[in-house]
Amino acid sequence: MPRLKVGVLISGRGSNLQALIDAAADPTYPAEIATVISNRPDAVGLVRAASTGIPHHVVADLDRAAFAAATDRILGEAGVALVALAGFMRILDTAFVEAWADRMVNIHPSLLPAFPGLHPQRQALAAGVKFSGCTVHFVRAAVDTGPIIAQAVVPVEDGDGEDSLAARILAAEHRLYPLAVRLVAEKRLRIDGNRVLTAGAAAPGIAALNPTENLASNRS
Ligand code: GRF
């Protein structure tokens, strides 16, 4: 079966792009990275694409509609069937989002709908939650909204700052994004309103408590 062609949009480091590149290095993985587009010429992710021989483009310094038109043309020429936003920091043109509805996904480092937008790890710490995580979702016009495909949960530890929490979440992102793209590529997903139903999915049969119940005794 031909592999699903994915176009990845980035703005920076590109570690999630790398996770997708690494997953696609396995010939049995059902998707391939057909093209990478950055809105910033200095994005490290462009180097990752170059070193893997993936076509890559910079689309910068344009207004929103012009950016969308140029991006759409590159995606079309590459035969892209799924757009994956991976640390892409530009607001997309609404018509572009609508044109790619149900064919564009994003990863966000929180358990949406909690903590959308900027600094989600800072928001999580400020709110005092005991768990955070990451979310892959289909993209809708409002920032960080859309039907949720998959989520990963990580604990918040008492000693956490923004950086340590971000690192723990990022490690989960690198597992979650390849899984979510695989589910799309395998056509397992059905969007039902705000929910995404997954054929053959198995949810983990666990409830995690933070802190755990097996604390050392504190009685004197
Ligand atoms: C990730 O935390 C992603 O969830 C968020 O921006 C960050 C991008 O990191 N949208 P990278 O560029 O993939 O390393």
Side-chain angles (χ1 to χ4, degrees):
M1 222 171 86
R3 306 212 285 171
L4 183 81
K5 290 190 188 229
V6 180
V8 184
L9 269 56
I10 61 167
S11 297
R13 179 178 56 183
S15 70
N16 279 290
L17 164 66
Q18 188 66 55
L20 293 172
I21 290 172
D22 292 347
D26 178 347
T28 66
Y29 189 74
E32 63 182 300
I33 312 306
T35 192
V36 172
I37 300 171
S38 173
N39 67 318
R40 296 184 52 123
D42 57 348
V44 175
L46 289 167
V47 180
R48 300 179 190 270
S51 66
T52 324
I54 297 170
H56 49 285
H57 308 263
V58 176
V59 182
D61 299 327
L62 297 168
D63 68 37
R64 208 174 278 180
F67 178 89
T71 299
D72 201 60
R73 185 175 45 74
I74 294 167
L75 295 170
E77 282 169 6
V80 164
L82 177 73
V83 175
L85 308 182
F88 181 70
M89 298 303 286
R90 204 179 157 154
I91 305 277
L92 286 165
D93 180 62
T94 305
F96 179 90
V97 173
E98 280 164 9
W100 285 90
D102 303 349
R103 298 181 299 145
M104 178 156 61
V105 295
N106 178 47
I107 187 159
H108 182 77
S110 75
L111 294 173
L112 290 172
F115 318 134
L118 293 175
H119 308 301
Q121 301 90 350
R122 193 184 302 171
Q123 294 184 56
L125 291 169
V129 293
K130 295 296 184 189
F131 290 98
S132 190
C134 50
T135 302
V136 179
H137 61 97
F138 287 107
V139 175
R140 297 292 182 261
V143 170
D144 298 326
T145 67
I148 291 171
I149 298 169
Q151 292 184 307
V153 171
V154 305
V156 178
E157 296 177 8
D158 283 359
D160 269 338
E162 225 175 310
D163 290 349
S164 60
L165 179 58
R168 194 172 309 119
I169 293 172
L170 194 64
E173 292 184 49
H174 297 161
R175 294 170 61 191
L176 191 72
Y177 217 176
L179 168 62
V181 168
R182 178 160 79 85
L183 298 178
V184 175
E186 291 176 347
K187 300 194 189 322
R188 286 172 182 261
L189 304 181
R190 184 166 64 81
I191 300 175
D192 180 13
N194 231 3
R195 299 186 71 192
V196 178
L197 309 178
T198 308
I206 53 127
L209 279 60
N210 182 18
T212 59
E213 293 156 299
N214 51 352
L215 300 170
S217 170
N218 202 19
R219 296 173 67 186
S220 48

